[in-house]
Amino acid sequence: MTKSQKWVSFLILSMTCGVIYQVAYIRFVFLGPTARALDVSSQDYANIISVFGIVAMVMYFFGGWFADRLSPKILIVTALAVTGLADLYLGTVPGYWGILAAHVVMAVAGMGLYWSALVKAIGMLGDSSEQGRLFGFLEGVRGVTSTVVGFVGTAVVAASVAEAAGVLWLIRLYGILCFVYAALVWLFVKGDDRRLAGLGSSTVTLRQLWRAARNRYTWLIGGTVMLMYCFYTTLGYFSPLLEHRYGMAAALVGVIGVVRTYVFQFVAGPAGGLVVDKVTRSTPRFLRWMFAGCALIALSFLVLPRDYAFKWVALALMFALCLLVFASRGVYWAQVGETGIHPDERGGVIGLASGIAYLPDAFLPTLSAWWIGDPSATPAVPEQGGGYTALFVFLLTVALLGLGLTTLTDRTRRRELTARAAPAGAEATPLAA
């Protein structure tokens, strides 16, 4: 494989990452309009999203098995084509059960077939000295692609006579893009079988999971990521808050959704990594700062009047929250390396911790939709169970728990390092005497 083939392969693979998940996570930009476009209630759409989250969480465990047995290129092409079919099927507005089936298919394709295969495909493009650079640029290209595609999508929706009709055309457009990228991967992506064989197994065995379950860091790291992921999962529900409670125009809310979801992804992530490397020198310590900031923002939303006069304050608070959340997303798995987990155990720890970490996808969309209701529905669905107040109390509680877990992780690691250093110091004393 020549150098030009390597970088063409890398760019195409990275760009697929900015396309394949667009419809599955379209709620982060167009929450209410998507429910109306698919002709389901906001609560039904939230329930479908939760089922997607459950299936996706299970598929993370099977992805490595597929990636070890089939060509990464074939898996990626298949996942893109299957996702494209699911997107186009959704564009026909197939009813509740059809929409649910399409989301299940997207979860199987995106997390079961695609993700582990992509990791292997990127990994085989460079030697051990290039892995950090490759995966760092992967996130950057993914973020840029998602942003460009997101802004194009916003323009499509804004240009439509009816917002819901625009969302349907956008879903179809994303489906077509999946087929385009499937063809590009098939035609232009090259692989290196020697390097692929050297990457080793991606499958997480039951033995590894059992060993991981007995490691305290599995639960500390998994719990920490889960608590921060609660903030990420609820970011999409800030759109109806800004539109219906603070009076922002729907078109502006769509643009804000793209900035919130994609721009912060490739800006805040690297910034978080730099702060960890240069300032805190510790990921748990950095995450403790992030949780403290999230707690202050959640508390601010609790006391801020939900009135049109405060819409720019609300927007500033939301953007500040995005900065903290995406900075955390860029580094929170670095804890696996920092806490001294043996390389042989890392696969199991990451696998089990991921199962814990992404639990919010299985219940939080349903719960959030119940809290906030749907003012744009006919008839309007009112807030329930405390509405946005309950949501921000929940997020404040989550942030405080995150403060506790990151503090515990930091102290546990420091105690371990002190205990290991103590015997060396005790042995050195007689020699010094």
Side-chain angles (χ1 to χ4, degrees):
M1 183 167 48
T2 66
K3 191 172 183 179
S4 61
Q5 287 175 326
K6 166 185 168 179
W7 287 109
V8 167
S9 298
F10 172 78
L11 284 172
I12 292 173
L13 288 170
S14 299
M15 291 171 77
T16 65
C17 209
V19 171
I20 191 169
Y21 297 119
Q22 288 290 337
V23 174
Y25 293 100
I26 196 172
R27 69 183 187 275
F28 284 105
V29 181
F30 302 106
L31 179 64
T34 303
R36 292 191 290 276
L38 297 176
D39 197 24
V40 292
S41 70
S42 59
Q43 188 65 64
D44 282 344
Y45 182 49
N47 295 341
I48 289 168
I49 293 168
S50 290
V51 172
F52 170 86
I54 293 169
V55 177
M57 185 172 60
V58 173
M59 283 298 108
Y60 274 118
F61 291 99
F62 288 94
W65 187 90
F66 286 117
D68 287 343
R69 286 159 178 79
L70 296 169
S71 159
K73 179 176 175 177
I74 291 174
L75 284 172
I76 291 168
V77 169
T78 302
L80 284 163
V82 169
T83 302
L85 284 172
D87 293 349
L88 294 177
Y89 178 63
L90 273 180
T92 67
V93 193
Y96 179 85
W97 294 107
I99 297 167
L100 179 63
H103 278 78
V104 169
V105 169
M106 286 191 289
V108 173
M111 283 65 179
L113 303 182
Y114 175 82
W115 182 247
S116 292
L118 178 73
V119 171
K120 278 213 160 184
I122 295 292
M124 71 179 176
L125 294 176
D127 57 31
S128 59
S129 66
E130 298 176 283
Q131 295 301 301
R133 192 186 327 158
L134 284 170
F135 282 98
F137 279 112
L138 167 65
E139 280 300 307
V141 175
R142 175 187 183 180
V144 171
T145 305
S146 298
T147 302
V148 172
V149 171
F151 277 125
V152 170
T154 303
V156 169
V157 175
S160 302
V161 176
E163 195 176 34
V167 170
L168 282 181
W169 279 111
L170 183 56
I171 290 172
R172 295 165 189 149
L173 175 62
Y174 289 152
I176 293 169
L177 279 175
C178 283
F179 282 110
V180 170
Y181 276 99
L184 290 174
V185 171
W186 182 256
L187 293 172
F188 297 109
V189 169
K190 307 297 180 183
D192 186 327
D193 292 337
R194 178 181 55 83
R195 282 179 175 163
L196 179 62
L199 292 175
S201 174
S202 300
T203 305
V204 178
T205 65
L206 290 175
R207 178 185 175 88
Q208 287 176 307
L209 290 176
W210 172 244
R211 291 174 66 186
R214 293 183 293 170
N215 189 321
R216 73 184 78 181
Y217 287 117
T218 302
W219 305 98
L220 290 170
I221 294 170
T224 298
V225 179
M226 179 188 71
L227 293 169
M228 187 56 74
Y229 197 71
C230 286
F231 281 93
Y232 175 73
T233 303
T234 55
L235 284 178
Y237 295 91
F238 282 74
S239 291
L241 173 67
L242 292 174
E243 182 178 355
H244 299 296
R245 300 304 293 272
Y246 288 104
M248 286 201 171
L252 180 58
V253 169
V255 174
I256 290 168
V258 174
V259 174
R260 178 185 62 214
T261 306
Y262 302 124
V263 174
F264 279 98
Q265 181 182 44
F266 67 85
V267 172
L274 285 173
V275 173
V276 169
D277 289 345
K278 304 295 184 182
V279 182
T280 67
R281 311 283 183 177
S282 164
T283 301
R285 206 168 300 148
F286 172 77
L287 291 173
R288 189 166 59 204
W289 289 8
M290 298 300 99
F291 276 117
C294 288
L296 286 173
I297 292 171
L299 182 61
S300 298
F301 269 113
L302 269 176
V303 300
L304 185 70
R306 291 179 196 126
D307 183 85
Y308 288 13
F310 294 93
K311 64 181 178 182
W312 299 114
V313 177
L315 180 62
L317 286 171
M318 188 200 70
F319 278 160
L321 182 63
C322 291
L323 181 65
L324 300 179
V325 170
F326 281 99
S328 301
R329 276 171 58 86
V331 301
Y332 48 42
W333 289 113
Q335 295 178 99
V336 175
E338 285 185 20
T339 50
I341 297 170
H342 194 276
D344 291 341
E345 297 181 25
R346 288 181 185 178
V349 169
I350 292 172
L352 184 54
S354 295
I356 300 166
Y358 301 119
L359 274 174
D361 268 345
F363 70 89
L364 203 46
T366 293
L367 185 58
S368 297
W370 181 70
W371 274 331
I372 70 173
D374 187 2
S376 60
T378 305
V381 178
E383 294 181 5
Q384 302 174 78
Y388 280 105
T389 298
L391 174 62
F392 290 122
V393 167
F394 170 79
L395 291 177
L396 177 59
T397 304
V398 161
L400 294 176
L401 288 172
L403 271 171
L405 271 189
T406 49
T407 300
L408 182 58
T409 304
D410 190 38
R411 289 181 179 175
T412 300
R413 183 58 181 160
R414 276 190 287 162
R415 278 199 301 267
E416 286 182 354
L417 293 174
T418 301
R420 289 176 188 175
E427 290 171 8
T429 302
L431 295 175

